[in-house]
Amino acid sequence: MIPTTHIEEARFTEVAERGAEHEIGDGVRLAQACVVEEILGAVFGSITLWYLVSSIAGLS
């Protein structure tokens, strides 16, 4: 008869939860930079549009 030993095995999810230090990847950083650029572009575009409309309104 062969003696058996029971070893408590850790599951992958348990190991992942223990060492879960979320790092921001390059893709997330790129996406955040693109969102900031889009917001700045929208602000600049709205200021330009407001200037054009107010200038045309001032001519009449």
Side-chain angles (χ1 to χ4, degrees):
M1 183 180 280
I2 299 173
T4 58
T5 57
H6 296 284
I7 299 173
E8 187 176 325
E9 296 180 6
R11 296 184 189 139
F12 178 73
T13 56
E14 293 172 355
V15 173
E17 288 174 1
R18 289 182 191 158
E21 292 181 13
H22 298 290
E23 296 181 10
I24 297 176
D26 292 335
V28 175
R29 289 187 184 135
L30 178 62
Q32 289 173 344
C34 289
V35 167
V36 170
E37 288 181 14
E38 292 292 327
I39 291 172
L40 291 176
V43 169
F44 179 74
S46 62
I47 290 172
T48 303
L49 186 62
W50 174 79
Y51 178 74
L52 288 174
V53 169
S54 65
S55 295
I56 292 172
L59 291 174
S60 55

